[in-house]
Amino acid sequence: MTAPLKHSADITVDVALGDRAYDIVIGRGVLETLGARVAALRPGVRTAIVTDRTVAKHWLEPTERSLAGAGIPTSRIIVEEGEISKTYAGLEKVSEALIAAKIERNDLVIALGGGVVGDLAGFAAAILRRGVDFVQAPTSLLAQVDSSVGGKTGINSPQGKNLLGAFHQPLLVIADTSVLDTLSPRQFRAGYAEVAKYGVLGDEAFFAWLDANHADIFSGGAAREHAIATSCRAKAAIVCRDERENGERALLNLGHTFGHALEAATGFSDRLFHGEGVAIGMVLAAEFSAQLGMISAADAARVERHLASVGLPTHLQDIAGFTQEGLADADALMALMAQDKKVKRGKLTFILLQAIGRAVVANDVEPALVRDFLQQKLSG
Ligand code: GLY
């Protein structure tokens, strides 16, 4: 599809999980409708909005206005921006504040922010009074296409990312695409890596469409809503078939085994955003697949070219401070991968490619092969 798209009415994607089914509402300005939607879903509810300082500056007041307009009482809980809040201390702060705000079983937590806020607030909701419902109002591209959908919530342990958490599906996802206008170009690009991921893992036609339309997505044209909706549909379909990640859902981890190790090696700092790690990880997964003879080198190069064309890092050497300890060392990267949730009895789980649009879960990858491959990439 290459014809220009027009901004259209809001798009609703259904996550068909039976009695826990919910809508993802996508469109410019849909945050304004939050209050009316919450009032319709939960008459008489109280809410607590969990957000971070930066998001609060732009979007807390409009969110509160929308809820107040529907007669819904709200309180606000503001956390520090970034992974520093996805910790035991961050969870304690949010949980205690929710109890102090008298959020009860039939009330609602509203996660207004990016992936960190969604994961943290969702996990706090999952354990508060043994579980209260929550609404996701994602404000980053990454959260709109990935972390706000599918019910994964949690915090990090000092020993690894997302090691503590719960599956807890939201009641509603409100993805207002106009909020993305305040993201930095780098943050937007990092989120775009997760959009491209859906094409690479399961939809070659979408990948080709992204190749033709990425400029419109970046400039805020109607292709943006189409890309977000297509990503959410792809994720919803997978989550509905495999909510608890017993099989197919693992495909969504394409690029993440390498990516998480790179994030850990850079101290989960601004040197590498999550989506940037995923971009490099996807290229490594494609190249590793090519080395194993699963896809052609030309297809692996096509994945790399697309991500590079939007300005994403695609090589280990693109990471700031690449030569620092831990990054330019295949053994150190292997040790970090061994701590990931994707390790089972010494064998690594990787998502590999049989083609662009056809990813597979490989549960028994020999660590020695991965180490040799990384060594090659590091010296290249
Ligand atoms: N972000 C991967 C998943 O939700 O399964």
Side-chain angles (χ1 to χ4, degrees):
M1 194 193 319
T2 51
L5 297 168
K6 292 201 179 67
H7 281 293
S8 54
D10 308 337
I11 303 170
T12 300
V13 175
D14 175 31
V15 185
L17 282 169
D19 58 0
R20 290 169 303 116
Y22 55 95
D23 285 344
I24 307 165
V25 184
I26 301 157
R28 288 191 87 79
V30 293
L31 193 58
E32 280 173 24
T33 69
L34 175 68
R37 290 177 194 276
V38 167
L41 285 166
R42 274 294 156 80
V45 77
R46 304 165 66 86
T47 62
I49 303 168
V50 181
T51 191
D52 71 34
R53 281 185 205 292
T54 307
V55 173
K57 267 189 240 150
H58 298 287
W59 302 112
L60 183 53
E61 279 180 18
T63 306
E64 288 175 333
R65 234 186 350 263
S66 171
L67 291 161
I72 298 170
T74 63
S75 47
R76 42 163 81 174
I77 300 166
I78 301 177
V79 300
E80 294 304 321
E81 191 177 347
E83 295 282 328
I84 186 138
S85 285
K86 246 182 88 168
T87 52
Y88 287 108
L91 181 67
E92 182 178 358
K93 174 179 167 164
V94 171
S95 303
E96 291 300 324
L98 288 171
I99 295 168
K102 301 197 168 20
I103 295 298
E104 296 177 354
R105 270 277 175 85
N106 290 325
D107 293 331
L108 274 182
V109 175
I110 296 181
L112 173 69
V116 165
V117 164
D119 286 5
L120 171 66
F123 189 36
I127 58 175
L128 178 70
R129 302 181 196 279
R130 299 207 173 89
V132 303
D133 282 331
F134 81 118
V135 168
Q136 289 271 20
T139 58
S140 68
L141 179 58
L142 187 136
Q144 293 192 352
V145 298
D146 183 28
S147 57
S148 70
V149 176
K152 280 190 181 174
T153 69
I155 59 169
N156 303 327
S157 142
Q159 301 185 61
K161 215 170 142 77
N162 298 328
L163 288 181
L164 298 142
F167 286 99
H168 188 49
Q169 298 292 343
L171 192 68
L172 171 71
V173 180
I174 289 282
D176 187 332
T177 53
S178 68
V179 308
L180 305 179
D181 297 345
T182 55
L183 294 181
S184 71
R186 184 178 168 204
Q187 279 171 320
F188 190 88
R189 260 198 313 275
Y192 179 84
E194 298 277 4
V195 174
K197 184 186 79 177
Y198 293 104
V200 178
L201 77 87
D203 188 345
E204 199 277 335
F206 183 49
F207 183 81
W209 180 86
L210 290 172
D211 233 358
N213 289 278
H214 61 78
D216 197 34
I217 296 170
F218 276 78
S219 67
R224 184 178 283 186
E225 277 88 40
H226 179 74
I228 293 170
T230 305
S231 303
C232 288
R233 269 188 215 106
K235 179 151 186 186
I238 290 175
V239 166
C240 289
R241 290 190 293 263
D242 179 25
E243 183 182 1
R244 296 279 171 142
E245 199 169 307
N246 294 314
E248 185 190 2
R249 184 165 180 167
L251 296 177
L252 298 171
N253 296 330
L254 174 64
H256 286 60
T257 308
F258 288 121
H260 278 173
L262 298 175
E263 278 184 270
T266 46
F268 299 103
S269 69
D270 281 0
R271 282 169 61 202
L272 190 73
F273 288 173
H274 173 71
E276 295 171 336
V278 170
I280 297 173
M282 265 195 293
V283 173
L284 290 172
E287 291 175 344
F288 187 50
S289 304
Q291 193 161 95
L292 296 176
M294 294 173 63
I295 60 166
S296 65
D299 271 351
R302 200 173 152 215
V303 173
E304 194 276 330
R305 239 184 354 260
H306 176 69
L307 297 172
S309 73
V310 303
L312 278 163
T314 54
H315 295 106
L316 295 165
Q317 289 78 354
D318 294 339
I319 302 171
F322 168 73
T323 50
Q324 285 172 19
E325 190 187 346
L327 255 183
D329 176 343
D331 291 318
L333 290 175
M334 290 303 294
L336 290 169
M337 275 188 241
Q339 280 179 340
D340 202 87
K341 291 195 292 319
K342 300 168 198 75
V343 179
K344 284 205 187 102
R345 293 184 187 84
K347 296 279 173 106
L348 290 165
T349 296
F350 274 91
I351 310 307
L352 300 176
L353 296 176
Q354 291 179 329
I356 292 179
R358 200 162 71 245
V360 288
V361 182
N363 284 315
D364 53 355
V365 177
E366 276 303 334
L369 287 177
V370 183
R371 193 204 167 279
D372 289 352
F373 168 74
L374 277 176
Q375 191 57 57
Q376 245 175 59
K377 291 283 132 194
L378 288 164
S379 39

